[in-house]
Amino acid sequence: EADIYQTPRYLVIGTGKKITLECSQTMGHDKMYWYQQDPGMELHLIHYSYGVNSTEKGDLSSESTVSRIRTEHFPLTLESARPSHTSQYLCASSSDRGNVDTQYFGPGTRLTVL
Amino acid sequence: GDSVTQMEGPVTLSEEAFLTINCTYTATGYPSLFWYVQYPGEGLQLLLKATKADDKGSNKGFEATYRKETTSFHLEKGSVQVSDSAVYFCALRGTYSGAGSYQLTFGKGTKLSVIP
């Protein structure tokens, strides 16, 4: 069973605010990911990390930033939120242990920027 | 590059009907294949997976067989329930090719509604 947590689950904020979406996993996975899910359900990879102090941008350009200071923690930050950032954000983690690199997802954060 | 194509929804079925959601892929080498399910208001959950040709993944009455000759991984269930109403995503993980090799390529999702 996957143990990956995201907070908050829902967030409504005004334009221009700085926000941080939290993601933590207790499985010791080395790889972590952030996806943005649009209203049409399609998933877009926006950031990923192979380990501590490693971060890369994904396929979809995003104004957000991430950090990976601890293995279990992969927060995503928006310095100045805009209505175009309104979306569902999903965090995932994976490991090569057991040979198949399977991604496990958190419950998501639904962000609304007014 | 890698790609996944799954049948477009939404799909509406009556309870106890047979379900098939088609998924085909394009990839080099021998990718691992996955089906994820997303219930309303939640994240994605791994439903089943297959790592090599002819493998059959199964879970909760759902099955999918990795068919390399047709590059397909269709999801099936013999008798759906109302509780199966969700969005289903087909995904592949390509074989190692350097940076980015750990990324999943997702289909666009198929919304299933099961009515009593």
Side-chain angles (χ1 to χ4, degrees), chain A residues 9-10 31 33 35 37 40-43 45 48 50 57 59 88 90 96 99-108, chain B residues 32 34 36 38 41-46 49 51 87 89 93 98-104 106-111:
Chain A
R9 291 292 313 275
Y10 303 92
K31 305 177 191 68
Y33 314 81
Y35 292 86
Q37 186 173 28
M41 305 177 299
E42 193 167 358
L43 289 153
L45 181 68
Y48 59 99
Y50 292 156
K57 289 190 179 294
D59 302 326
Q88 167 95 322
L90 295 170
D96 281 335
N99 201 37
V100 179
D101 196 339
T102 300
Q103 290 190 21
Y104 295 95
F105 283 78
Chain B
S32 297
F34 306 83
Y36 283 86
Q38 185 176 31
E42 298 184 12
L44 274 68
Q45 298 177 25
L46 179 66
K49 64 185 179 186
T51 59
V87 179
F89 292 90
R93 175 182 177 266
S101 64
Y102 301 109
Q103 296 178 28
L104 285 179
F106 284 92
K108 294 186 176 182
T110 302
K111 184 175 182 179

Side-chain angles (χ1 to χ4, degrees), chain A residues 25 28-33 45 47-58 66-68 70-71 74 92 94-96 101 103, chain B residues 93 96-104:
Chain A
Q25 49 95 5
H29 286 171
D30 49 351
K31 305 177 191 68
M32 297 189 74
Y33 314 81
L45 181 68
H47 298 283
Y48 59 99
S49 168
Y50 292 156
V52 171
N53 294 325
S54 148
T55 61
E56 301 286 344
K57 289 190 179 294
V66 293
S67 62
R68 189 91 183 274
R70 302 198 316 265
T71 297
F74 192 41
S94 71
S95 170
D96 281 335
D101 196 339
Q103 290 190 21
Chain B
R93 175 182 177 266
Y96 183 78
S97 59
S101 64
Y102 301 109
Q103 296 178 28
L104 285 179

